[in-house]
Amino acid sequence: MESEWMPWAERDAAAYVAVPTERDDKYSRGVLGIVTGSAEYPGAGVLGVEGAARTGLGMIRYLGDATKLVLSRRPEVVTLPGRVQAWLIGSGTDSGELGLLGTLFSDALASDEPVVADGGALEMAAEAPRAGVVVTPHYRELARMLAHVGERVSAQTIATTPSVWASRAADILRVTVLLKGSTTFIAEPLGARIAVSGAPGWTATAGAGDVLGGVLGALVATHADGAFEPGTLARLAASAQVLHATAAQRASQGGPIVALDIAEALPDAVRQLLAIRGD
Ligand SMILES: NC(=O)C1=CN([C@@H]2O[C@H](COP(=O)(O)OP(=O)(O)OC[C@H]3O[C@@H](n4cnc5c(N)ncnc54)[C@H](OP(=O)(O)O)[C@@H]3O)[C@@H](O)[C@H]2O)[C@@H](O)CC1
Ligand SMILES: Nc1ncnc2c1ncn2[C@@H]1O[C@H](COP(=O)(O)OP(=O)(O)O)[C@@H](O)[C@H]1O
């Protein structure tokens, strides 16, 4: 029998926006370690950083391979290693050519912090499943992850029945899965099943997924204490998808957008959600 998919609306997502209080400083708000971007795809590093920064968090430590480009766009970013509350790894990297990035990915996956894994870190996340990990593949990437653990399914089959495969993948891979598409399906191993729709078709543009990784990284870093409780990572993932879709809608207004437009519309999307909450 197919799983029950719970919808997730702006009102639900609003509860997962962390608003700083007078007692907060940049560390208590949450620090996100980001290891994304490579010589081949430096732009993905910038897009994830922008997504996270515009969602709201205390600080970003960027340790990927696009430091120069990231700093030229966001001088607020710190490029030294140090304590973080969560990790975003893998967007804009190739799993076959990781070099030193591979060590950083395995350190993050072996750490006690929650991890958002994308792009070239997906196969490593599939190899070493643990609680507190959420993966954000599109259909082809999910097919590759499943092949990596011996489950053969084509990207076309996943595209035709994404809810079935998001659900199955979470149970097989034993990590929380956010499967990207026109409807995004979020599944926790033997747990929550959430479906989020409503993003405009204009969202299907290069780098939009890299921005989503940043949004989710920021939400996880600002809720790191609860991230290991059953269902929390799935609800944070659904909230990130809602914020991303709201930002895309605001940026698009029925017309074309680029990924950076989505990142730039995030503060307004956050305000829209907080207004629903009554803040
Ligand atoms: N600005 C940045 O830095 C950006 C960086 N990005 C980063 O890039 C990394 C790889 O992500 P990805 O999703 O593109 O790669 P992947 O899943 O291997 O798919 C390759 C498949 O696509 C297909 N294909 C290619 N061209 C096609 C065409 N014209 N028309 C139709 N099909 C076409 C091709 O098919 P084939 O040519 O083999 O038949 C193959 O199957 C990832 O880390 C991501 O973060 C992106 O986010 C973009 C912005
Ligand atoms: N038809 C669509 N309608 C709405 N959103 C879409 C559609 N197709 C893809 N998306 C969204 O666009 C983003 C694309 O991400 P991804 O495939 O990772 O691309 P990239 O790697 O270039 O960033 C995801 O957030 C996905 O959910």
Side-chain angles (χ1 to χ4, degrees):
M1 193 183 78
E2 213 191 310
S3 335
E4 286 281 324
W5 290 89
M6 186 167 64
W8 201 251
E10 288 186 353
R11 182 169 296 283
D12 304 307
Y16 289 87
V17 174
V19 178
T21 70
E22 59 188 21
R23 291 180 305 283
D24 274 314
D25 63 21
K26 64 178 181 283
Y27 295 124
S28 68
R29 286 187 65 196
V31 177
L32 178 65
I34 300 189
V35 192
T36 59
S38 57
E40 290 76 18
Y41 304 108
V46 174
L47 292 165
V49 163
E50 281 287 330
R54 297 298 191 176
T55 299
L57 78 175
M59 191 165 99
I60 292 169
R61 291 187 190 277
Y62 178 79
L63 308 176
D65 270 353
T67 306
K68 223 172 144 186
L69 198 61
V70 165
L71 280 178
S72 70
R73 171 87 196 172
R74 288 261 68 89
E76 301 88 346
V77 166
V78 170
T79 55
L80 285 176
R83 196 140 74 88
V84 302
Q85 274 67 50
W87 290 99
L88 166 63
I89 60 174
S91 317
T93 68
D94 180 340
S95 60
E97 298 176 20
L98 289 178
L100 277 179
L101 292 176
T103 309
L104 294 174
F105 293 173
S106 48
D107 287 352
L109 288 165
S111 76
D112 293 332
E113 287 90 32
V115 175
V116 179
D118 187 31
L122 290 169
E123 276 112 321
M124 284 180 74
E127 275 166 24
R130 67 154 167 94
V133 173
V134 54
V135 296
T136 62
H138 54 54
Y139 303 147
R140 285 186 305 277
E141 287 170 332
L142 184 60
R144 282 202 292 267
M145 285 182 85
L146 288 169
H148 200 69
V149 297
E151 179 80 27
R152 305 249 155 233
V153 54
S154 70
Q156 189 51 46
T157 299
I158 295 175
T160 314
T161 48
S163 64
V164 170
W165 284 97
S167 187
R168 210 171 278 177
D171 297 344
I172 293 171
L173 297 168
R174 291 180 290 128
V175 293
T176 297
V177 174
L178 179 155
L179 179 59
K180 293 179 278 199
S182 58
T183 295
T184 290
F185 292 96
I186 296 140
E188 182 189 49
L190 307 172
R193 299 286 185 266
I194 308 177
V196 184
S197 50
W202 301 101
T203 311
T205 183
D210 305 325
V211 173
L212 176 71
V215 177
L216 179 52
L219 292 193
V220 175
T222 52
H223 294 81
D225 286 350
F228 288 84
E229 286 162 20
T232 301
L233 217 42
R235 290 192 285 271
L236 289 168
S239 302
Q241 176 55 31
V242 166
L243 257 178
H244 188 264
T246 302
Q249 201 80 56
R250 291 188 75 106
S252 160
Q253 308 277 345
I257 46 173
V258 292
L260 208 46
D261 296 336
I262 302 175
E264 285 171 353
L266 281 164
D268 279 340
V270 168
R271 278 180 210 106
Q272 182 169 323
L273 264 54
L274 291 178
I276 292 171
R277 197 165 94 177
D279 283 25

mmCIF file of all heavy atoms in Angstrom, residues 41 43-44 47 90-93 119 138 140-141 144 206-207 210, ligand 1:
data_model
loop_
_atom_site.group_PDB
_atom_site.id
_atom_site.type_symbol
_atom_site.label_atom_id
_atom_site.label_comp_id
_atom_site.label_asym_id
_atom_site.label_seq_id
_atom_site.Cartn_x
_atom_site.Cartn_y
_atom_site.Cartn_z
ATOM 1 N N TYR A 41 32.522 23.506 -10.631
ATOM 2 C CA TYR A 41 31.235 24.163 -10.361
ATOM 3 C C TYR A 41 31.374 25.158 -9.210
ATOM 4 O O TYR A 41 30.766 24.973 -8.140
ATOM 5 C CB TYR A 41 30.168 23.141 -9.954
ATOM 6 C CG TYR A 41 29.912 22.010 -10.913
ATOM 7 C CD1 TYR A 41 30.335 20.719 -10.607
ATOM 8 C CD2 TYR A 41 29.216 22.213 -12.095
ATOM 9 C CE1 TYR A 41 30.074 19.660 -11.462
ATOM 10 C CE2 TYR A 41 28.949 21.161 -12.954
ATOM 11 C CZ TYR A 41 29.385 19.885 -12.636
ATOM 12 O OH TYR A 41 29.119 18.847 -13.475
ATOM 13 N N GLY A 43 30.132 28.104 -8.931
ATOM 14 C CA GLY A 43 28.881 28.840 -8.710
ATOM 15 C C GLY A 43 27.977 28.180 -7.686
ATOM 16 O O GLY A 43 27.286 28.867 -6.925
ATOM 17 N N ALA A 44 27.995 26.854 -7.637
ATOM 18 C CA ALA A 44 27.130 26.150 -6.678
ATOM 19 C C ALA A 44 27.513 26.515 -5.241
ATOM 20 O O ALA A 44 26.655 26.567 -4.356
ATOM 21 C CB ALA A 44 27.228 24.644 -6.894
ATOM 22 N N LEU A 47 25.865 29.829 -4.551
ATOM 23 C CA LEU A 47 24.399 29.736 -4.456
ATOM 24 C C LEU A 47 23.943 29.129 -3.128
ATOM 25 O O LEU A 47 22.963 29.595 -2.524
ATOM 26 C CB LEU A 47 23.853 28.929 -5.639
ATOM 27 C CG LEU A 47 24.009 29.654 -6.981
ATOM 28 C CD1 LEU A 47 23.791 28.692 -8.159
ATOM 29 C CD2 LEU A 47 23.043 30.831 -7.073
ATOM 30 N N GLY A 90 28.491 18.954 -0.456
ATOM 31 C CA GLY A 90 28.362 18.223 -1.718
ATOM 32 C C GLY A 90 27.852 18.952 -2.942
ATOM 33 O O GLY A 90 28.207 18.561 -4.060
ATOM 34 N N SER A 91 27.011 19.993 -2.821
ATOM 35 C CA SER A 91 26.480 20.635 -4.033
ATOM 36 C C SER A 91 27.644 21.125 -4.898
ATOM 37 O O SER A 91 28.608 21.691 -4.367
ATOM 38 C CB SER A 91 25.612 21.854 -3.679
ATOM 39 O OG SER A 91 24.768 21.582 -2.604
ATOM 40 N N GLY A 92 27.541 20.932 -6.192
ATOM 41 C CA GLY A 92 28.579 21.432 -7.087
ATOM 42 C C GLY A 92 29.898 20.697 -6.970
ATOM 43 O O GLY A 92 30.957 21.282 -7.210
ATOM 44 N N THR A 93 29.837 19.426 -6.594
ATOM 45 C CA THR A 93 31.054 18.599 -6.592
ATOM 46 C C THR A 93 30.743 17.291 -7.297
ATOM 47 O O THR A 93 29.591 16.862 -7.372
ATOM 48 C CB THR A 93 31.551 18.301 -5.159
ATOM 49 O OG1 THR A 93 30.601 17.447 -4.502
ATOM 50 C CG2 THR A 93 31.749 19.572 -4.344
ATOM 51 N N GLY A 119 24.527 16.678 -4.191
ATOM 52 C CA GLY A 119 25.522 16.532 -5.266
ATOM 53 C C GLY A 119 26.515 15.402 -5.029
ATOM 54 O O GLY A 119 26.142 14.241 -4.829
ATOM 55 N N HIS A 138 17.997 14.942 -6.889
ATOM 56 C CA HIS A 138 16.955 14.923 -7.914
ATOM 57 C C HIS A 138 16.870 13.483 -8.428
ATOM 58 O O HIS A 138 17.540 12.587 -7.902
ATOM 59 C CB HIS A 138 17.202 15.976 -9.010
ATOM 60 C CG HIS A 138 18.545 15.924 -9.684
ATOM 61 N ND1 HIS A 138 19.048 14.782 -10.265
ATOM 62 C CD2 HIS A 138 19.488 16.874 -9.891
ATOM 63 C CE1 HIS A 138 20.212 15.033 -10.808
ATOM 64 N NE2 HIS A 138 20.530 16.299 -10.573
ATOM 65 N N ARG A 140 17.855 11.719 -11.062
ATOM 66 C CA ARG A 140 19.061 11.001 -11.515
ATOM 67 C C ARG A 140 19.990 10.711 -10.349
ATOM 68 O O ARG A 140 20.594 9.645 -10.266
ATOM 69 C CB ARG A 140 19.819 11.826 -12.570
ATOM 70 C CG ARG A 140 19.190 11.849 -13.942
ATOM 71 C CD ARG A 140 20.096 12.574 -14.940
ATOM 72 N NE ARG A 140 20.445 13.919 -14.492
ATOM 73 C CZ ARG A 140 19.688 15.000 -14.651
ATOM 74 N NH1 ARG A 140 18.505 14.890 -15.239
ATOM 75 N NH2 ARG A 140 20.084 16.186 -14.225
ATOM 76 N N GLU A 141 20.095 11.690 -9.467
ATOM 77 C CA GLU A 141 20.983 11.482 -8.318
ATOM 78 C C GLU A 141 20.448 10.374 -7.399
ATOM 79 O O GLU A 141 21.228 9.592 -6.849
ATOM 80 C CB GLU A 141 21.136 12.798 -7.535
ATOM 81 C CG GLU A 141 22.016 13.811 -8.269
ATOM 82 C CD GLU A 141 21.984 15.204 -7.631
ATOM 83 O OE1 GLU A 141 20.981 15.570 -6.997
ATOM 84 O OE2 GLU A 141 22.970 15.938 -7.793
ATOM 85 N N ARG A 144 21.352 7.082 -8.844
ATOM 86 C CA ARG A 144 22.782 6.770 -8.607
ATOM 87 C C ARG A 144 23.017 6.320 -7.167
ATOM 88 O O ARG A 144 23.775 5.399 -6.909
ATOM 89 C CB ARG A 144 23.648 8.003 -8.907
ATOM 90 C CG ARG A 144 23.884 8.229 -10.396
ATOM 91 C CD ARG A 144 25.120 9.080 -10.646
ATOM 92 N NE ARG A 144 24.971 10.444 -10.211
ATOM 93 C CZ ARG A 144 24.561 11.453 -11.002
ATOM 94 N NH1 ARG A 144 24.248 11.224 -12.267
ATOM 95 N NH2 ARG A 144 24.465 12.679 -10.538
ATOM 96 N N ALA A 206 18.979 26.079 -13.572
ATOM 97 C CA ALA A 206 20.271 25.641 -13.019
ATOM 98 C C ALA A 206 20.592 26.369 -11.724
ATOM 99 O O ALA A 206 20.526 27.595 -11.648
ATOM 100 C CB ALA A 206 21.381 25.892 -14.028
ATOM 101 N N GLY A 207 20.942 25.603 -10.703
ATOM 102 C CA GLY A 207 21.377 26.174 -9.428
ATOM 103 C C GLY A 207 20.268 26.357 -8.409
ATOM 104 O O GLY A 207 20.557 26.640 -7.232
ATOM 105 N N ASP A 210 20.818 24.092 -5.603
ATOM 106 C CA ASP A 210 21.944 24.507 -4.749
ATOM 107 C C ASP A 210 21.467 25.533 -3.713
ATOM 108 O O ASP A 210 21.883 25.506 -2.552
ATOM 109 C CB ASP A 210 23.077 25.094 -5.600
ATOM 110 C CG ASP A 210 23.529 24.124 -6.681
ATOM 111 O OD1 ASP A 210 23.522 22.909 -6.416
ATOM 112 O OD2 ASP A 210 23.872 24.571 -7.793
HETATM 113 N N1 LIG B 1 26.211 27.155 -11.281
HETATM 114 C C1 LIG B 1 26.635 25.966 -10.797
HETATM 115 O O1 LIG B 1 27.745 25.856 -10.285
HETATM 116 C C2 LIG B 1 25.747 24.802 -10.911
HETATM 117 C C3 LIG B 1 26.190 23.581 -10.419
HETATM 118 N N2 LIG B 1 25.438 22.479 -10.495
HETATM 119 C C4 LIG B 1 26.006 21.259 -9.949
HETATM 120 O O2 LIG B 1 26.290 20.416 -11.002
HETATM 121 C C5 LIG B 1 26.442 19.101 -10.528
HETATM 122 C C6 LIG B 1 25.794 18.172 -11.505
HETATM 123 O O3 LIG B 1 24.386 18.362 -11.460
HETATM 124 P P1 LIG B 1 23.457 17.876 -12.650
HETATM 125 O O4 LIG B 1 22.114 17.681 -12.082
HETATM 126 O O5 LIG B 1 23.515 18.803 -13.800
HETATM 127 O O6 LIG B 1 24.190 16.543 -13.079
HETATM 128 P P2 LIG B 1 23.751 15.059 -13.308
HETATM 129 O O7 LIG B 1 22.777 14.531 -12.339
HETATM 130 O O8 LIG B 1 25.000 14.276 -13.445
HETATM 131 O O9 LIG B 1 23.018 15.170 -14.694
HETATM 132 C C7 LIG B 1 23.675 15.057 -15.862
HETATM 133 C C8 LIG B 1 22.592 14.485 -16.765
HETATM 134 O O10 LIG B 1 22.015 15.537 -17.471
HETATM 135 C C9 LIG B 1 21.832 15.135 -18.800
HETATM 136 N N3 LIG B 1 21.932 16.300 -19.640
HETATM 137 C C10 LIG B 1 22.935 17.179 -19.674
HETATM 138 N N4 LIG B 1 22.669 18.129 -20.576
HETATM 139 C C11 LIG B 1 21.455 17.822 -21.111
HETATM 140 C C12 LIG B 1 20.643 18.418 -22.100
HETATM 141 N N5 LIG B 1 20.992 19.562 -22.715
HETATM 142 N N6 LIG B 1 19.484 17.831 -22.411
HETATM 143 C C13 LIG B 1 19.090 16.718 -21.800
HETATM 144 N N7 LIG B 1 19.836 16.091 -20.841
HETATM 145 C C14 LIG B 1 21.002 16.647 -20.515
HETATM 146 C C15 LIG B 1 22.909 14.131 -19.076
HETATM 147 O O11 LIG B 1 22.430 13.229 -20.002
HETATM 148 P P3 LIG B 1 23.376 12.682 -21.229
HETATM 149 O O12 LIG B 1 23.977 13.883 -21.893
HETATM 150 O O13 LIG B 1 24.420 11.833 -20.554
HETATM 151 O O14 LIG B 1 22.417 11.928 -22.070
HETATM 152 C C16 LIG B 1 23.104 13.471 -17.723
HETATM 153 O O15 LIG B 1 22.287 12.328 -17.629
HETATM 154 C C17 LIG B 1 25.801 19.068 -9.148
HETATM 155 O O16 LIG B 1 26.824 18.944 -8.173
HETATM 156 C C18 LIG B 1 25.133 20.425 -9.042
HETATM 157 O O17 LIG B 1 25.157 20.913 -7.700
HETATM 158 C C19 LIG B 1 24.090 22.523 -10.997
HETATM 159 O O18 LIG B 1 23.334 22.739 -9.832
HETATM 160 C C20 LIG B 1 23.873 23.622 -12.005
HETATM 161 C C21 LIG B 1 24.413 24.956 -11.515
#
